Amino acid sequence: MSSQTLAIIKPDSFRNKNTGKIVDRILSAGFEITAMEQQHLSKKRAEAFYDIHSERPFFHDLIVFMTSGPCVPMALRKNDAVSSFRELIGATDPQSARAGTIRKDFAENVQNNAVHGSDSDDNAAKEIAFFFPSLQIRSN
Ligand code: ADP
Ligand code: MG
């Protein structure tokens, strides 16, 4: 069934001029982009987005990274969008990511790992609302 996920082209990809190449991978994999916008996150917004990781040792550096330059959040649609996108991007640490995945090919390291992808349908809905509060969610 068609469903949604939230992707972010992270600041490392933006800085390395990989935005277009990553968008091409996403479209070639059959995703429909229903919303997309270049944004430069404030510390407050980045902390709110990654609130679930606030107790992790890497949290502070993650916020510095995510606010270091523009990023490109996008809402995506496809069958089984969440798992299909996680498959396309590969493991969190690019050293463990499968060949041909976005993180394998574009990530700098486990923190600067090129892209974000939601990890569940519930979080996808929350994350899409976080970046695109006015996006209408179609049911078909
Ligand atoms: P994912 O993005 O694959 O869902 P997590 O939700 O576990 O991974 O972590 C969120 C983000 O925090 C990662 O994408 C990465 O940018 C950063 N991160 C995760 N683990 C580490 C780590 N061990 N060291 C530094 N940064 C990390
Ligand atoms: Mg995650």
Side-chain angles (χ1 to χ4, degrees), residues 10 50 53 58 62 86 92 103 110-111 113 116-117:
K10 291 185 176 181
Y50 278 121
H53 294 308
F58 58 77
L62 176 61
R86 298 283 308 195
T92 306
R103 281 170 165 169
V110 66
Q111 174 187 272
N113 61 358
H116 167 83

